[in-house]
Amino acid sequence: MRIETENLDNYRKSCREFLKREIVPDHQAWEENGLMERSFWEKLGKSGLLGISVSPEFGGQGKHDYRFAVILTEELIKAGVTVPGIVAHNDVVASYIFALGTGEQKKRWLPELCLGKRVAAIAMTEPGGGSNTADIKTVAERQGDYYVVNGSKAYITNGFNADLIVVAVKTDEGQQGQGISLLVIERDMPGFSRGEPLKKIGWNGSDTAELVFHDCKVPVTNLLGRENLGNYYFMSAMPRERLSISTVAVASAENILQHTLEYVKERKAFNQSIGSFQYNRFILAQLDTEVKIARIYLDNAIALFNQGLFSLVDAARIKLWTTELQMKVADRCLQLHGGMGYMRDSIAGKNWLNSRAQTIYGGTSEVLQEIISKSMGL
């Protein structure tokens, strides 16, 4: 146990030092440009921060304990670095390929993803639909050794930068929710284009774009897993994705609460610190209690995930709870900062803007409550 703790502590230290040295100085420029520099990904790869759970055989770090991924996320939050693009690349796409890819596909794609030489994205959401895969309209028709893909995807994280995109396509009408397959579409494939980076209200350092496929020819060898089982794969991978989002939520809530505590002790109003007013003290006491509960909840979920016991319903519950709490903490803390908190470049303001997306992607709070209520027999 002592060796295990030392390994985790050393990894946290290396993450913190790397981010402070290599990333933080450039991050403001990325937020202004709405795009992470390509060199950033290669720096991450060289530092061993990509492909955390991927086997060393394919260029990864072979760290299957999910706490290593958690540590990277926590340190990104503390450093004020945009998180979604890294989570999509690391926790989602690399995991999909490592779990579902053939030996040839893993050798072809994973080493460059782990080195940051190629950037990854996952594309499920479409302009006219959201969380329901049964509504997917992007179609892939098998023609000999190729699939011909037609359709579009919207709000795709890393969409502008991505070289490798796991795309959900309809390959069979079948029953509702079935007939979905996963194709890996690569940069410069004929018939694939993308729009300019979209202008979001938060997470501005992470590029987001629309993807368009017009008679896009994709080799059959780029089919990930088996045809028509895409929906099953999504359900299998969803717990990890939602646990990643929950990690961002708890780390963000802890970070802004700590920053706010420091602020209210220094900021004066009516000849006393604003933190000393009873109403403010009680608000902070409530937030502190709820955030600590969320941390215990998250740590338990991580332990279950490491044991293979973390279910789809477990993931729905923790994402619902932690992301809604993150929004609550962000809002209360901005209020305690007063006018300064409403400034776009303030820590409180940025945190508030970034928090808003958390209850939307990875399954909206409304969809999560549907999943939870159905598990209760309702």
Side-chain angles (χ1 to χ4, degrees):
M1 182 64 71
R2 179 171 170 272
I3 294 175
E4 181 183 75
T5 301
E6 286 180 358
N7 287 339
L8 291 167
D9 289 343
N10 289 336
Y11 184 72
R12 184 181 295 280
K13 183 180 178 182
S14 67
C15 288
R16 186 173 298 171
E17 291 176 349
F18 167 78
L19 292 170
K20 182 179 180 180
R21 181 180 68 251
E22 300 287 352
I23 306 303
V24 173
D26 299 320
H27 192 263
Q28 182 59 38
W30 299 345
E31 290 207 323
E32 291 171 1
N33 297 330
L35 192 70
M36 290 180 176
E37 294 292 339
R38 299 285 302 193
S39 60
F40 157 76
W41 293 99
E42 292 194 31
K43 289 178 180 179
L44 274 177
K46 288 178 181 178
S47 297
L49 300 181
L50 297 179
I52 295 172
S53 62
V54 173
S55 168
E57 176 187 359
F58 303 110
Q61 302 304 308
K63 294 179 170 67
H64 300 297
D65 185 335
Y66 189 70
R67 288 177 295 177
F68 285 98
V70 170
I71 286 171
L72 175 58
T73 297
E74 290 173 345
E75 292 305 315
L76 286 164
I77 293 294
K78 288 178 184 176
V81 177
T82 295
V83 176
I86 300 168
V87 169
H89 181 105
N90 242 5
D91 274 359
V92 182
V93 178
S95 298
Y96 268 97
I97 294 173
F98 186 56
L100 302 174
T102 64
E104 185 275 333
Q105 289 174 333
K106 292 176 184 179
K107 290 177 183 177
R108 181 155 46 116
W109 293 322
L110 286 175
E112 289 193 318
L113 291 183
C114 293
L115 286 173
K117 292 185 178 297
R118 299 179 88 178
V119 179
I122 186 163
M124 182 175 73
T125 302
E126 298 187 349
S131 301
N132 188 2
T133 55
D135 293 335
I136 285 176
K137 299 294 191 295
T138 300
V139 176
E141 181 183 350
R142 176 78 180 263
Q143 295 183 6
D145 294 333
Y146 290 87
Y147 287 99
V148 178
V149 181
N150 284 283
S152 62
K153 300 291 179 178
Y155 316 123
I156 306 305
T157 299
N158 291 343
F160 189 80
N161 244 341
D163 306 289
L164 200 80
I165 307 166
V166 176
V167 182
V169 297
K170 185 176 283 293
T171 45
D172 192 322
E173 290 301 325
Q175 299 179 28
Q176 188 178 33
Q178 297 181 6
I180 303 299
S181 300
L182 304 181
L183 291 180
V184 176
I185 296 181
E186 301 175 64
R187 178 183 290 276
D188 298 329
M189 280 186 168
F192 169 42
S193 62
R194 63 191 99 200
E196 290 297 310
L198 298 172
K199 297 184 183 300
K200 306 185 297 296
I201 63 172
W203 292 130
N204 292 314
S206 177
D207 65 284
T208 305
E210 180 181 6
L211 312 178
V212 179
F213 310 102
H214 180 69
D215 291 335
C216 179
K217 293 183 67 175
V218 183
V220 170
T221 52
N222 279 31
L223 174 68
L224 194 59
R226 294 174 59 185
E227 193 175 84
N228 298 327
L229 290 183
N231 206 41
Y232 167 77
Y233 298 141
F234 276 129
M235 294 303 101
S236 299
M238 199 59 75
R240 183 184 183 112
E241 180 179 354
R242 288 176 176 161
L243 186 57
S244 298
I245 295 171
S246 300
T247 300
V248 172
V250 175
S252 296
E254 290 174 336
N255 193 57
I256 191 59
L257 183 57
Q258 180 59 41
H259 173 78
T260 302
L261 284 172
E262 294 170 3
Y263 177 79
V264 299
K265 291 174 183 177
E266 297 296 326
R267 180 76 165 87
K268 304 288 185 182
F270 302 101
N271 298 318
Q272 66 184 93
S273 67
I274 61 174
S276 66
F277 288 95
Q278 184 187 63
Y279 179 81
N280 292 343
R281 292 203 316 269
F282 283 10
I283 286 289
L284 289 165
Q286 292 169 15
L287 295 180
D288 179 69
T289 301
E290 292 180 56
V291 169
K292 283 181 168 55
I293 290 170
R295 170 54 68 178
I296 294 169
Y297 190 7
L298 178 65
D299 289 345
N300 180 67
I302 292 166
L304 289 174
F305 182 83
N306 277 340
Q307 297 170 54
L309 301 175
F310 189 62
S311 71
L312 187 64
V313 178
D314 291 332
R317 289 193 185 103
I318 193 168
K319 182 185 182 292
L320 173 66
W321 173 258
T322 58
T323 56
E324 290 289 341
L325 175 62
Q326 179 187 359
M327 279 182 50
K328 175 182 176 180
V329 174
D331 190 68
R332 300 294 190 277
C333 287
L334 186 147
Q335 183 73 20
L336 287 166
H337 278 77
M340 190 182 80
Y342 197 62
M343 298 298 103
R344 182 182 293 272
D345 290 333
S346 72
I347 292 176
K350 285 183 178 180
N351 181 77
W352 186 75
L353 289 168
N354 292 343
S355 296
R356 192 60 191 87
Q358 287 279 95
T359 61
I360 299 173
Y361 53 34
T364 65
S365 292
E366 293 75 18
V367 168
L368 299 178
Q369 288 174 93
E370 285 289 337
I371 293 170
I372 297 165
S373 62
K374 286 178 181 178
S375 76
M376 299 165 64
L378 299 173

